[in-house]
Amino acid sequence: MRHSDTPIIDARGIYKRYYIGQPNELEILHGIDIKVYPGEFVAIVGASGSGKSTLMNILGVLDKPTEGDYYLDGVDVAKSDDSELSAIRNQKIGFVFQTYNLISRQSALKNVELPMLYAGVNRRTRIKRARELMEMVGMGGRLEHNPDELSGGQKQRVAIARAMGNDPAMILADEPTGALDTKTGRLVMDIFHELNEKHGKTVVLITHSPELAEETQRILTLSDGLIIGEREGAGHAVS
């Protein structure tokens, strides 16, 4: 459901090239336009090699486009320096990756606290919010467990709680169920739907799975570095 007419993601004419000026110059993205509005649940779907990872890195402010304009929640990413980009990533984007990216020597609770620690949130507030987020994803009984003591699905739920730490403008989920079995993947997708429907979070799901994409409100199809189609998804059947 759209909550505003001002896009949270406003990407225009995005090109990404590597080895610029060299004989083996490679263009991965060939001029992409994307708008995502607050409160939407959008899927970007494409096969391996379609440019999904490159696009995700740009949308997630992990990389800059070679050409084009990208405004994230009104901020001109191209005009931001590295420290500003780091702050944008920490405050405005909650990342959920296929590989979880948890710190193995830290407890689940400490992992969830981490983005808030970087943002300068005081310890008491940090711990309280981390506990609440762990409860929200059904992991309240696993606060002191290290990641290697958790199953894949439990790790991903911790990762989702961590992504919500600074109450970001959007959640960017890159193949979040890719390493999980069907039942566990279903549980993880249900959490994303809850974040979107009950908490109003903007969710961008990057996936190769047409079935998962179909659950979202809008599907953008990426092929060979171009958006070749856009359509409505079936949305989430509330059980």
Side-chain angles (χ1 to χ4, degrees):
M1 185 192 305
R2 182 186 293 191
H3 297 304
S4 167
D5 289 328
T6 304
I8 194 165
I9 286 177
D10 189 355
R12 309 170 195 168
I14 298 295
Y15 287 81
K16 185 63 184 179
R17 303 183 189 98
Y18 296 95
Y19 320 117
I20 295 166
Q22 299 178 33
N24 57 339
E25 180 172 307
L26 183 64
E27 186 172 279
I28 304 293
L29 302 178
H30 312 301
I32 284 182
D33 300 316
I34 293 179
K35 283 184 169 61
V36 176
Y37 293 86
E40 279 197 300
F41 194 159
V42 175
I44 298 173
V45 66
S48 180
S50 61
K52 291 198 310 295
S53 295
T54 303
L55 180 58
M56 191 219 72
N57 286 340
I58 289 172
L59 296 181
V61 198
L62 298 166
D63 198 3
K64 284 186 175 182
T66 309
E67 191 180 319
D69 296 308
Y70 179 31
Y71 293 86
L72 174 63
D73 204 20
V75 176
D76 185 347
V77 170
K79 290 192 170 69
S80 304
D81 63 28
D82 285 347
S83 64
E84 289 168 335
L85 293 177
S86 179
I88 289 167
R89 280 193 299 272
N90 192 36
Q91 297 290 334
K92 293 188 179 293
I93 306 168
F95 292 98
V96 181
F97 297 101
Q98 179 176 339
T99 50
Y100 323 123
N101 286 19
L102 300 175
I103 296 174
S104 59
R105 297 180 305 279
Q106 299 269 22
S107 69
L109 188 70
K110 293 279 188 196
N111 269 279
V112 176
E113 284 183 56
L114 208 55
M116 294 181 272
L117 178 66
Y118 291 147
V121 176
N122 72 68
R123 185 171 180 271
R124 179 180 287 185
T125 305
R126 217 165 57 218
I127 293 172
K128 181 173 183 288
R129 178 155 173 79
R131 285 177 177 276
E132 288 169 354
L133 289 168
M134 286 284 281
E135 290 285 351
M136 187 183 78
V137 298
M139 290 291 289
R142 297 280 194 277
L143 300 179
E144 298 306 323
H145 287 63
N146 282 4
D148 60 7
E149 300 173 297
L150 302 174
S151 69
Q154 289 170 332
K155 288 177 189 174
Q156 197 59 295
R157 284 189 275 166
V158 173
I160 294 169
R162 179 187 59 189
M164 288 289 291
N166 287 325
D167 194 22
M170 72 166 175
I171 301 288
L172 189 57
D174 184 24
E175 300 282 8
T177 65
L180 306 176
D181 60 62
T182 305
K183 183 180 176 184
T184 311
R186 175 73 268 146
L187 184 66
V188 166
M189 282 300 291
D190 286 344
I191 293 173
F192 285 122
H193 285 298
E194 181 177 343
L195 290 175
N196 175 249
E197 292 161 16
K198 293 186 180 175
H199 300 273
K201 282 290 158 202
T202 307
V203 181
V204 177
L205 171 71
I206 295 171
T207 181
H208 68 275
S209 165
E211 293 81 14
L212 290 185
E214 198 60 51
E215 291 186 25
T216 67
Q217 298 157 359
R218 191 156 57 94
I219 303 167
L220 306 174
T221 302
L222 188 65
S223 179
D224 295 327
L226 284 167
I227 300 287
I228 60 165
E230 177 177 340
R231 64 183 179 83
E232 286 189 7
H236 181 221
V238 181
S239 54

